[in-house]
C-alpha cells in the first residue's frame, strides 16, 4: 500500500492510501480540490472515504467527491455527517475489496462525541484525537473521556504509525518543551521536526513508540509531567493532571 499525505487548507492532511492496482481510499477530505489533484497526479481511482468526525475541515469535500467518484463512505453514527453509505461502530472490522484492506474501527470520543479512528495494518488514522506532541481540543467530552481514548490508542503496538489530520507538530513541540524540557526523546523529536519543516516535509506519520516517549499528553504518569501538573495546580490524579495539561495548552502562546 502506498501512503500519501495530501495537504489541504492551512495545516490539514487528507491521507491517501492506494494499493498496487491503483484503487485508493482517502481519510477526512475536508476539501475536494487537493485530493482530486493528487488522484490525477498518481493516477488513482477513489473507491472509499473514511471519515473520523463531523468537523467541516474533515468532511467539506465529501459531497463533491461522492458525485464524481461514487466511493463507499464510512462514518460514525452522527446526524451531522450526511452522505455516509456505511455507519461504523467500535470494534467493527471492515473487509474492503478496493483498495484491498482490512479496516478496524475504534471509538475515540473526546474531541467530539462520535469521533472514531481507523486502523489499517500498522497505520492508525486518528483524526483530531491524537496529534504528534499534542492532542485534540475538548469540544464534546470531558478530560476523562479523551484521556481514556488516548490510553486506548497508547495500548496499540509501538510500531503503529500514527496519521493525524493536522500538521501541528512544530507548534505542539513548543508547548511540550515548556512542560518536559529535559526529556531527551522530546528534544530529539523537536529537532527532527524543525529540520523536516524547514524543508517543507511532513512530520507525519510518526510511530506510537516515539509519541509515547515524547508527547506530554501520553506521559501524564511520568515523573516530570506529573511534577509540572502538580506545580500548575492539579491534584495528583491522572485525569486532573490531563485536564490541567489540556487547559494550559489551550492558553499557551509560544
Ligand atoms: Zn476537528
Ligand atoms: Fe480538524
Amino acid at each position: 500500500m502506498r501512503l500519501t499525505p495530501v495537504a489541504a487548507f492551512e495545516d490539514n492532511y487528507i491521507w491517501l492510501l492506494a494499493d498496487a492496482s491503483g484503487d485508493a481510499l482517502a481519510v477526512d477530505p475536508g476539501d475536494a480540490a487537493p485530493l482530486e489533484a493528487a488522484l490525477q497526479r498518481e493516477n488513482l481511482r477513489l473507491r472509499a472515504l473514511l471519515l473520523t468526525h463531523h468537523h467541516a475541515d474533515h468532511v467539506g469535500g465529501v459531497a463533491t467527491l461522492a458525485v464524481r467518484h461514487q466511493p463507499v463512505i464510512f462514518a460514525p453514527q452522527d446526524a451531522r455527517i450526511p452522505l455516509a453509505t456505511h455507519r461504523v461502530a467500535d470494534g467493527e472490522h471492515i473487509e474492503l475489496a478496493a483498495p484491498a484492506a482490512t479496516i478496524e474501527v475504534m471509538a475515540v470520543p473526546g474531541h467530539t462525541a462520535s469521533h472514531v479512528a481507523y486502523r489499517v495494518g500498522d497505520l492508525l488514522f486518528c483524526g483530531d484525537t491524537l496529534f504528534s506532541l499534542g492532542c485534540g481540543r475538548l469540544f464534546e467530552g470531558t478530560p476523562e473521556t479523551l484521556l481514556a481514548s488516548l490510553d486506548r490508542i497508547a495500548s496499540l503496538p509501538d510500531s503503529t504509525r500514527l496519521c493525524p489530520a493536522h500538521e501541528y507538530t512544530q507548534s505542539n513541540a513548543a508547548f511540550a518543551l515548556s512542560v518536559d524540557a529535559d526529556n531527551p526523546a522530546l528534544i530529539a523529536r523537536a529537532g527532527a521536526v524543525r529540520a523536516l519543516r524547514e524543508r517543507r516535509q511532513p512530520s507525519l506519520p510518526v510511530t506510537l513508540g516515539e509519541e509515547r516517549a515524547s508527547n506530554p499528553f501520553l506521559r501524564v504518569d511520568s515523573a516530570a509531567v506529573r511534577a509540572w501538573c502538580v506545580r500548575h495546580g492539579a491534584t495528583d490524579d491522572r485525569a486532573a493532571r490531563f485536564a490541567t495539561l489540556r487547559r494550559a495548552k489551550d492558553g499557551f502562546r509560544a
Side-chain angles (χ1 to χ4, degrees):
M1 296 283 261
R2 192 162 83 251
L3 179 69
T4 309
V6 178
F9 307 120
E10 289 290 291
D11 51 31
N12 281 70
Y13 288 129
I14 302 165
W15 290 96
L16 179 60
L17 186 64
D19 68 15
S21 75
D23 287 320
L25 64 78
V27 185
D28 284 355
D31 188 3
L35 183 58
E36 292 285 7
L39 291 167
Q40 257 189 3
R41 190 170 59 238
E42 302 194 24
N43 196 25
L44 300 172
R45 294 175 297 277
L46 183 66
R47 306 296 300 274
L49 295 176
L50 309 184
L51 311 179
T52 65
H53 68 294
H54 73 279
H55 286 159
D57 63 312
H58 298 253
V59 301
V62 172
T64 304
L65 294 163
V67 171
R68 284 197 205 147
H69 302 276
Q70 280 104 45
V72 286
I73 303 174
F74 297 93
Q77 190 67 55
D78 189 319
R80 299 171 295 187
I81 310 177
L83 303 173
T85 59
H86 290 75
R87 297 290 175 174
V88 300
D90 184 45
E92 189 175 341
H93 285 76
I94 300 158
E95 297 294 338
L96 202 60
T102 301
I103 301 164
E104 183 188 341
V105 179
M106 287 172 73
V108 286
H111 175 69
T112 67
S114 64
H115 198 303
V116 298
Y118 298 94
R119 196 174 169 204
V120 184
D122 70 345
L123 301 172
L124 183 74
F125 299 104
C126 52
D128 287 358
T129 298
L130 178 61
F131 298 119
S132 183
L133 304 181
C135 72
R137 281 180 192 262
L138 282 166
F139 287 123
E140 299 176 4
T142 63
E144 287 82 358
T145 311
L146 184 55
L147 180 59
S149 294
L150 296 182
D151 284 343
R152 247 188 116 184
I153 291 174
S155 72
L156 296 172
D158 273 347
S159 57
T160 303
R161 290 187 291 155
L162 303 171
C163 303
H166 290 273
E167 178 62 67
Y168 288 159
T169 317
Q170 206 166 6
S171 62
N172 285 345
F175 175 74
L177 284 165
S178 79
V179 172
D180 197 12
D182 300 324
N183 177 344
L186 171 56
I187 294 165
R189 172 79 175 138
V193 167
R194 192 180 324 112
L196 285 167
R197 299 306 295 149
E198 273 167 12
R199 287 181 271 125
R200 301 194 194 297
Q201 303 272 313
S203 68
L204 304 166
V206 61
T207 67
L208 178 60
E210 279 183 86
E211 286 303 304
R212 282 173 14 94
S214 58
N215 185 331
F217 293 93
L218 299 184
R219 295 176 57 73
V220 292
D221 298 322
S222 72
V225 175
R226 255 175 117 138
W228 186 93
C229 291
V230 170
R231 277 203 309 281
H232 288 75
T235 56
D236 199 14
D237 157 274
R238 64 196 302 273
R241 294 196 297 269
F242 181 77
T244 297
L245 210 53
R246 185 57 265 179
R247 206 176 318 116
K249 174 73 166 66
D250 289 343
F252 182 78
R253 295 290 172 274

